[in-house]
Amino acid sequence: MTEPRLQLENITKRFPGCLANDQVNLNILPGEIHALLGENGAGKSTLVKMIYGLLKPDEGQMLWEGQAVDIDSPKTARHYGIGMVFQHFSLFNAMTVLENIAVGMDEAFDLKALEKRILNVSADYGLHIDPKKLIHDLSVGERQRVEIIRCLLQHPKLLIMDEPTSVLTPQEVDKLFVTLRRLSSEGVSILYISHKLDEIKTLCHRATILRGGQFIQEIDPTQETAASMAQLMVGQKIIPPKRQSNKTFEDDVIQVQHLSLKSSQPFGNDLKDINFTISQGEVLGIAGIAGNGQTELLSALSGEADTDVDTIIIHGRPSGNLPSNQRRMIGMAYVPEERLGHASVPDNALHENAFLSGYQAKKLHHRGFINFKKRNEYAQMVCDKYNVKHAGIGSAAKSLSGGNLQKFIVGREIEQGPSLLIAAQPTWGVDAGAAAAIHQSILDLAEKGSAVLVLSQDLDEIFEVCDSVCVIYEGTLSDAYPISDISREEIGLLMGGITTPEGGHNHVA
């Protein structure tokens, strides 16, 4: 029998008010692609952080190639050949891609040679990136590419991938899978964490299920369905979202007309004559590969960037020059694509983060004074309704798992009852059960008459909730297509800048 490359025995980790891992066992074979599955807060991220040396277990032991080891730091982990791609990026915003990768290299290197290696790996993996770009000028998807490239340059024996495809297009995912299968055939072990269960079924040889910090079951994903794996993860059957059929749309809520905006980033994409309309009760999706102008479009729509006053009209009011808080006052809510730092203040408590965006819509203050009771009740309501696992509403945003923080942010915005919701990557890093609940909340909001804009690279999500879809490519927005009249393949062509399918229209009706 092949000896496991990594073996965990009775691993336990406690935090104040939380037993994150409870006597967990896991073994990963050489060349195996092994999935680690569980709902948000199941203990997956805690477990892999211990494998990578970011945390130390309170009990249990780790064996590496048959020998007991004490992995007390990421440097020690890398010494054994363990690399990790994080769900939350660990990058320096003021440094270039090349400088960020150089910082993480343990061995001696020549900067010019390293730049060439980055370009070679980037081309091989289909993760195209300019080594000279500054991190703060990159989209979320591009930052994730940097993390993947940085890790692969270390030539790992075990590669830990925490939600690596969450903002990649289907084409990029396919290319990544080719690379992962090649690494597997060369004997590299891969521990793969993802909430995309179809990916698990396609890619992985075995899967370990965690629930509530405990080992539940080891399965062969090829013998399971996405639905059966989701049920094992959450302990109950997942109810898919229900959407209204034969929808009719009423008055326009937002009109964007001839919106052009020069990017504030040296390597960004300028917006070029963007046009679309969203009516009451309508969900419009915008698909596109990361870095094609989504950041600039979100900045314009949210009020973080000034545009000509008549380019954005909300409820009949020219709003292109309104700042974010004034747009919220006339009914807008906003879910940014980056949940830590943009959508939330990492070190602030959940109740403080709830107040920051909800104080106007939920009337959480009076004559300049915070109503602490109402603020706390609002934060608690969001956590309860969206099943956010936390140690209390006084917990810092950064203490939550990525999926739980995403549920909190989306819930915080939807529960303000906006007439216009702009949501970027609303279910990024969220488990199947939570994604279904978020999708249902978006559909319910639209059914009440709100207009919703969803920017997403997840085509399953686009088809799940949207009535129409546009594609953004190099700062240009395609016509809008009824979701029933366009295929994934046609959307993929648009995402690559290929010929526009017939049947689109500029204004969504």
Side-chain angles (χ1 to χ4, degrees), residues 256-505:
V256 176
Q257 48 196 20
H258 306 299
L259 171 62
S260 296
L261 179 67
K262 186 169 179 60
S263 177
S264 62
Q265 303 169 357
F267 303 98
N269 271 294
D270 298 342
L271 298 181
K272 309 173 190 76
D273 197 30
I274 302 290
N275 295 276
F276 66 86
T277 299
I278 314 177
S279 303
Q280 289 180 345
E282 181 177 17
V283 183
L284 173 66
I286 294 182
I289 300 168
N292 274 279
Q294 292 95 326
T295 300
E296 290 78 7
L297 181 58
L298 287 168
S299 294
L301 296 176
S302 67
E304 294 171 2
D306 279 338
T307 63
D308 291 340
V309 65
D310 291 324
T311 56
I312 300 173
I313 297 174
I314 302 174
H315 294 301
R317 174 180 175 175
S319 305
N321 62 346
L322 290 183
S324 299
N325 65 330
Q326 290 188 31
R327 296 191 194 196
R328 285 185 175 274
M329 289 173 70
I330 59 173
M332 189 194 79
Y334 175 43
V335 178
E337 64 175 341
E338 190 172 5
R339 52 185 166 236
L340 267 178
H342 195 180
S344 66
V345 181
D347 292 312
N348 280 20
L350 294 179
H351 58 67
E352 292 169 325
N353 277 290
F355 179 84
L356 286 175
S357 81
Y359 72 93
Q360 295 179 122
K362 302 302 290 185
K363 295 181 172 58
L364 304 180
H365 67 114
H366 181 64
R367 294 182 178 177
F369 290 93
I370 298 172
N371 186 324
F372 294 108
K373 183 174 183 292
K374 286 185 70 175
R375 180 201 66 182
N376 293 349
E377 288 173 348
Y378 174 54
Q380 190 64 57
M381 180 273 292
V382 170
C383 291
D384 292 344
K385 185 170 181 178
Y386 289 81
N387 194 27
V388 178
K389 295 183 178 178
H390 59 99
I393 59 171
S395 304
K398 68 181 181 182
S399 70
L400 271 61
S401 69
N404 275 300
L405 182 56
Q406 187 72 12
K407 287 190 287 184
F408 177 79
I409 290 162
V410 172
R412 176 190 69 184
E413 300 302 311
I414 289 178
E415 291 307 312
Q416 293 173 33
S419 57
L420 170 63
L421 174 67
I422 297 167
Q425 313 289 351
T427 59
W428 176 34
V430 166
D431 65 64
I438 288 172
H439 288 158
Q440 188 63 62
S441 295
I442 289 172
L443 292 170
D444 290 346
L445 186 68
E447 200 166 323
K448 293 174 184 174
S450 298
V452 181
L453 177 65
V454 173
L455 281 86
S456 180
Q457 295 183 72
D458 185 343
L459 294 187
D460 289 337
E461 180 165 69
I462 293 286
F463 279 89
E464 189 84 57
V465 301
C466 296
D467 301 300
S468 301
V469 61
C470 305
V471 174
I472 191 167
Y473 176 75
E474 293 188 348
T476 301
L477 194 67
S478 76
D479 291 344
Y481 299 86
I483 204 71
S484 58
D485 294 351
I486 191 167
S487 67
R488 282 172 170 77
E489 291 73 22
E490 289 172 320
I491 293 176
L493 290 174
L494 288 167
M495 291 167 77
I498 311 299
T499 310
T500 303
E502 295 180 2
H505 48 90

Side-chain angles (χ1 to χ4, degrees), residues 157-172:
K157 291 183 180 179
L158 169 63
L159 181 60
I160 302 169
M161 308 200 81
D162 192 358
E163 301 286 354
T165 66
S166 55
V167 290
L168 300 180
T169 65
Q171 293 90 339
E172 290 172 321

